[in-house]
């Protein structure tokens, strides 16, 4: 049984000098230093990966650029009860964002949809 009160400061075994006690702790200190260094390297690698992803996605969203294409009128019908006008309006849009976006001009363009893989599985996120 070890009596810690009678042991020299810094030693865990009675009769060891502080220098010998420090030498007996050297493998444990080396292991702790190595584990700390390894943990620091892993955290630094995670930080670098996050920084690369952040720089790829910054800015998070850039508005789509659309340019009107030549269109035209197909037919005009004017009647006593109704009138109809048919024509073609086209736009060419480009996506400056680093990820795929679909542009669909619908009845309610104020919603944002996200999907992974199949477009038919798009779900509303905003």
């Amino acid at each position: 049984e070890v009596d810690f009160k009678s042991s020299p400061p810094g030693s865990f075994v009675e009769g060891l000098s502080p220098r010998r006690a420090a030498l007996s702790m050297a493998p444990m200190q080396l292991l702790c230093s190595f584990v700390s260094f390894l943990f620091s390297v892993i955290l630094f690698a995670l930080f670098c990966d996050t920084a690369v992803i952040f720089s790829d996605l910054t800015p998070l969203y850039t508005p789509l650029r659309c340019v009107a294409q030549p269109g035209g009128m197909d037919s005009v019908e004017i009647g006593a009860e109704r009138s109809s006008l048919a024509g073609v309006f086209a736009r060419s849009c480009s996506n400056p964002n680093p990820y795929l976006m679909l542009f669909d001009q619908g009845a309610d363009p104020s919603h944002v949809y996200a999907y992974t893989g199949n477009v038919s599985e798009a779900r509303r996120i905003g």
Side-chain angles (χ1 to χ4, degrees):
E1 187 172 316
V2 177
D3 181 15
F4 290 105
K5 292 181 182 172
S6 65
S7 299
S11 70
F12 294 101
V13 180
E14 188 175 344
L16 283 182
S17 69
R19 184 167 189 255
R20 281 196 179 261
L23 287 176
S24 70
M25 293 292 293
M28 182 60 102
Q29 289 174 342
L30 183 62
L31 179 65
C32 287
S33 297
F34 176 73
V35 169
S36 297
F37 176 75
L38 186 62
F39 189 65
S40 298
V41 169
I42 290 170
L43 286 179
F44 182 72
L46 286 173
F47 172 78
C48 291
D49 186 50
T50 304
V52 167
I53 291 171
F54 181 76
S55 69
D56 287 345
L57 297 178
T58 302
L60 185 58
Y61 172 74
T62 303
L64 298 175
R65 296 183 189 118
C66 295
V67 177
Q69 298 294 316
M73 302 276 287
D74 287 342
S75 65
V76 177
E77 294 179 18
I78 300 175
E81 293 183 23
R82 69 180 191 132
S83 300
S84 73
L85 172 69
V88 176
F89 177 75
R91 287 183 175 215
S92 174
C93 297
S94 64
N95 179 16
N97 297 298
Y99 43 84
L100 178 65
M101 290 181 66
L102 295 178
F103 181 73
D104 184 21
Q105 187 172 349
D108 191 6
S110 62
H111 299 293
V112 177
Y113 295 88
Y115 72 94
T116 56
N118 192 355
V119 178
S120 65
E121 298 173 0
R123 61 186 168 93
R124 184 173 156 189
I125 60 172

